[in-house]
Amino acid sequence: MCFKQEDDDLTYERRNYTKEAAQKKKLFLWVNHKFKPTLPNEVCAGCSEPLNKKGRFCYYSGKNYCSNCHINDKALIPAKIVQDWDHQSYYVCKEAYRIITLHAKDPIINLELECPLLYQKLFTLKKIKELREQAVVIAVFLRSCKNALTLLNYVRNCLHLMDSVHIYSLHDLHEVKRSHLAPKLSRHIRTCLEHITKDCESCKGKGFYCELCKSPELLFSFEINKITKCDTCKMVFHSTCAEKHGLNAAYFRTFNPACPRCL
Ligand SMILES: [Zn+2]
Ligand SMILES: [Zn+2]
Ligand SMILES: [Zn+2]
Ligand SMILES: [Zn+2]
């Protein structure tokens, strides 16, 4: 696991997606197969035994098998979830069942590449994307804290959700369908924020006070929706305060230095 500050989500997505994930991704087939009856002379796709028209269809490989190679296991089909958001379990052969269950929890599905339309179709996924964008900046912040190792270990099961925006495991997508993922992610974000803003002196030390309103509330660089940052001195203000003083983000970029500290 890399703890470097510049390990941003883009780097993570590229690194993981192109190296390990692309490798594993080959294990998942992306063809959405429809049922095909066994043909008269067809043989088992696993062991080549004659099927005598009594083959068992595998919805993962799209082929027919004998009763040794296919024992009527059922599994989620990656292609059906990603393409049709179909979360039913379908009959699969032994080998398909092994592959699907073995890799169900591997974060190897890049939804933006595999099916960007799902974000438009499903409000929940759009909401989770926003949560993950927030989680990514929080995770980067936490990785620079020595006291956060226990916490990072505690959230490790969904750390890939906080390290990237678009990468899911099959299991994650099923959790989205069952409405479990968003609450879990929100809970983890809350726990991380409690560490940063309340429990950890080292993290609190990286907070800023708004010099415009002198409020005792600590502001953090990752609270992107709430703050305006001076590009020159990196001073952080409430966006609302900055706006009241005519110091919006555009002003900062054009007329640096222009903040109370830089002036
Ligand atoms: Zn067979
Ligand atoms: Zn900390
Ligand atoms: Zn303020
Ligand atoms: Zn400044």
Side-chain angles (χ1 to χ4, degrees):
M1 190 64 71
C2 181
F3 287 88
K4 279 193 311 203
Q5 186 82 28
E6 63 270 24
D7 193 20
D8 62 10
D9 64 314
L10 195 66
T11 329
Y12 182 90
E13 305 225 359
R14 281 211 192 106
R15 173 162 48 83
N16 279 269
Y17 196 66
T18 52
K19 287 185 187 164
E20 313 146 45
Q23 210 58 30
K24 282 183 186 165
K25 187 176 158 279
K26 286 190 191 139
L27 294 166
F28 276 168
L29 300 175
W30 301 100
V31 185
N32 193 346
H33 294 288
K34 302 272 180 294
F35 176 78
K36 277 198 289 279
T38 317
L39 298 170
N41 293 323
E42 196 172 339
V43 295
C44 169
C47 67
S48 304
E49 280 291 306
L51 290 174
N52 302 320
K53 288 210 256 175
K54 282 192 215 136
R56 295 178 175 180
F57 187 69
C58 169
Y59 281 85
Y60 177 74
S61 69
K63 293 171 182 163
N64 285 302
Y65 296 81
C66 71
S67 55
N68 279 330
C69 299
H70 191 315
I71 54 170
N72 287 334
D73 284 320
K74 280 179 152 191
L76 297 170
I77 308 293
K80 290 191 186 289
I81 291 186
V82 170
Q83 290 165 27
D84 298 340
W85 202 238
D86 174 356
H87 288 260
Q88 282 185 71
S89 290
Y90 287 84
Y91 287 117
V92 291
C93 70
K94 272 189 196 168
E95 180 59 7
Y97 185 78
R98 191 189 67 80
I99 291 173
I100 295 169
T101 45
L102 183 65
H103 296 287
K105 289 197 172 175
D106 292 345
I108 52 176
I109 303 172
N110 188 325
L111 218 53
E112 204 190 25
L113 295 184
E114 238 47 87
C115 191
L117 283 180
L118 274 185
Y119 283 124
Q120 289 166 29
K121 279 195 233 159
L122 295 164
F123 177 75
T124 344
L125 272 179
K126 218 191 302 177
K127 190 171 166 258
I128 291 173
K129 187 174 152 230
E130 284 166 17
L131 280 176
R132 290 182 70 173
E133 280 163 355
Q134 193 191 354
V136 161
V137 275
I138 292 173
V140 169
F141 189 92
L142 274 180
R143 289 215 157 98
S144 66
C145 171
K146 293 190 298 289
N147 310 327
L149 288 177
T150 324
L151 177 63
L152 286 169
N153 193 37
Y154 170 71
V155 299
R156 71 183 179 283
N157 284 341
C158 73
L159 207 51
H160 64 281
L161 298 171
M162 305 181 70
D163 268 337
S164 69
V165 178
H166 302 295
I167 295 174
Y168 287 84
S169 68
L170 195 63
H171 179 256
D172 293 331
L173 290 176
H174 198 50
E175 292 275 277
V176 172
K177 170 73 177 171
R178 300 196 302 162
S179 307
H180 289 172
L181 198 82
K184 185 166 94 178
L185 196 54
S186 302
R187 220 168 38 239
H188 283 329
I189 290 177
R190 260 200 316 277
T191 312
C192 292
L193 284 178
E194 249 163 53
H195 168 96
I196 295 171
T197 61
K198 293 203 186 102
D199 305 338
C200 177
E201 291 307 319
S202 161
C203 281
K204 276 198 272 185
K206 290 178 204 143
F208 299 87
Y209 292 108
C210 173
E211 288 209 355
L212 293 170
C213 69
K214 313 278 185 210
S215 143
E217 178 199 15
L218 272 176
L219 298 176
F220 292 90
S221 52
F222 57 80
E223 294 178 293
I224 34 180
N225 294 327
K226 195 167 156 189
I227 57 156
T228 294
K229 196 171 171 183
C230 170
D231 283 345
T232 308
C233 69
K234 309 295 175 208
M235 199 64 216
V236 167
F237 311 99
H238 289 111
S239 294
T240 44
C241 293
E243 222 165 284
K244 262 187 239 155
H245 286 74
L247 307 171
N248 59 35
Y251 184 84
F252 273 70
R253 273 195 295 277
T254 329
F255 300 107
N256 266 334
C259 83
R261 178 182 265 196
C262 290
L263 273 176

